[in-house]
Amino acid sequence: MLTRQQIKLISSLKYKKYRDRHQLFVAEGRKIIEDLCPAFRCRYLVGEEAEIKTLGIDAHEYLYVDDADLLRQISSLSTPHRLLAVFEKPTRPDINNMPPTKGLTIVLDGIQDTGNLGTIVRIADWFGIRQIVCSPDTADIYNPKSVQATMGAMANVDVAYTDLPDFVGRMKLFDTHVYGTFLEGNNIYRRTLTPSGLIVMGNEGKGISERLTPYIDTRLSIPNFSPESHSSESLNVAVATAVVCSEFLRGTYADDVLAKQM
């Protein structure tokens, strides 16, 4: 049974300062919890006893709750799941002390929407991109809404936060090519793209910041194919990320992936 102290703790994890203080975060729903368990240590597994016992998941403590009102109290969702888990945030090495990774890295500059962030993590996982580097003002990946939007993909993608001009500048010392998306960039379908490098995606409204713009080697854009003058000004950043990742991987790895699937 949940104690008052545990209820207070779990409820407080809706807010970043408490997630940082306790180094914990919340995930809700059977599938997400199952997907996250191999990558994160589970502090508490909360829910109906019968549901928990069918999972077979190791947790530091099992908290059986059959009270739907209590689950709503600690949940961040409008319609709570029957299972909730509190995971420990991992201790990650400083991204600035690590050597450049092979392949592609997504760089997020000021992404504000938690749903966009979680969806981008899911997109990265789909395309086999294992690293995302974010500016400090990007939404928190451990926000409950971000966690839910990843659909468990955050177990496979490393998400780090750091000062982007410093990080990108250091990567360029290793001859890492830096791509950035702009409304006035070069048509992505007419550019030769490399199998490795940084892909910078900017803020939903302002795009890539002025601090980071000087580090971009190649400016890319997704052309607007609509003949109507009243068409949308731009794509949602998560949708744009999916299009860009698809185009990068299409010519580089598509044949290899298809060959493995046959």
Side-chain angles (χ1 to χ4, degrees):
M1 188 67 181
L2 279 167
T3 65
R4 287 186 178 181
Q5 185 175 3
Q6 289 167 334
I7 292 171
K8 183 178 179 180
L9 170 63
I10 296 172
S11 298
S12 74
L13 299 179
K14 299 171 186 175
Y15 305 100
K16 186 177 187 301
K17 69 176 181 178
Y18 295 111
R19 294 194 296 271
D20 290 344
R21 177 183 299 176
H22 299 293
Q23 291 296 293
L24 299 171
F25 71 95
V26 173
E28 301 186 51
R30 184 185 186 96
K31 184 180 186 305
I32 291 179
I33 291 171
E34 287 179 324
D35 288 344
L36 294 184
C37 272
F40 302 94
R41 294 180 60 185
C42 184
R43 176 75 63 86
Y44 301 124
L45 188 57
V46 185
E48 299 174 2
E49 182 174 359
E51 190 78 12
I52 288 177
K53 288 185 176 180
T54 63
L55 276 177
I57 287 176
D58 289 330
H60 178 74
E61 192 169 349
Y62 302 97
L63 303 174
Y64 301 131
V65 176
D66 294 321
D67 186 342
D69 289 334
L70 183 54
L71 285 174
R72 275 192 290 271
Q73 181 180 340
I74 62 176
S75 172
S76 298
L77 305 177
S78 56
T79 305
H81 289 273
R82 291 186 295 176
L83 286 171
L84 178 149
V86 177
F87 289 101
E88 297 178 9
K89 291 169 61 174
T91 301
R92 303 192 185 280
D94 184 354
I95 190 71
N96 292 301
N97 293 328
M98 297 174 64
T101 58
K102 295 180 180 179
L104 297 168
T105 294
I106 296 174
V107 177
L108 301 181
D109 185 17
I111 301 300
Q112 297 297 298
D113 186 86
T114 53
N116 281 338
L117 174 59
T119 302
I120 290 171
V121 172
R122 190 176 176 186
I123 289 165
D125 185 31
W126 181 264
F127 287 104
I129 297 172
R130 297 303 173 212
Q131 185 175 76
I132 295 177
V133 180
C134 306
S135 61
D137 61 341
T138 289
D140 181 20
I141 186 58
Y142 297 109
N143 181 295
K145 293 181 180 178
S146 297
V147 173
Q148 295 304 120
T150 70
M151 295 297 290
M154 59 187 289
N156 304 317
V157 180
D158 181 61
V159 180
Y161 290 78
T162 192
D163 181 79
L164 292 187
D166 286 348
F167 169 75
V168 175
R170 189 175 74 87
M171 291 298 100
K172 287 177 71 69
L173 296 176
F174 295 94
D175 295 324
T176 301
H177 198 89
V178 182
Y179 298 91
T181 53
F182 296 83
L183 289 176
E184 72 283 3
N186 300 294
N187 186 333
I188 190 171
Y189 301 116
R190 295 181 176 176
R191 301 294 299 185
T192 300
L193 306 173
T194 60
S196 63
L198 307 182
I199 303 172
V200 183
M201 306 298 297
N203 172 271
E204 289 92 339
K206 300 176 181 178
I208 296 173
S209 62
E210 292 183 1
R211 292 182 65 221
L212 198 55
T213 299
Y215 295 90
I216 305 298
D217 296 310
T218 300
R219 297 184 174 212
L220 300 172
S221 70
I222 301 168
N224 185 338
F225 291 97
S226 174
E228 304 296 335
S229 59
H230 60 267
S231 62
S232 300
E233 290 184 359
S234 63
L235 289 172
N236 168 276
V237 65
V239 173
T241 301
V243 173
V244 170
C245 289
S246 178
E247 187 61 17
F248 265 88
L249 277 299
R250 180 179 63 87
T252 306
Y253 297 114
D255 291 341
D256 291 340
V257 171
L258 289 173
K260 292 178 180 179
Q261 293 177 347
M262 294 179 64

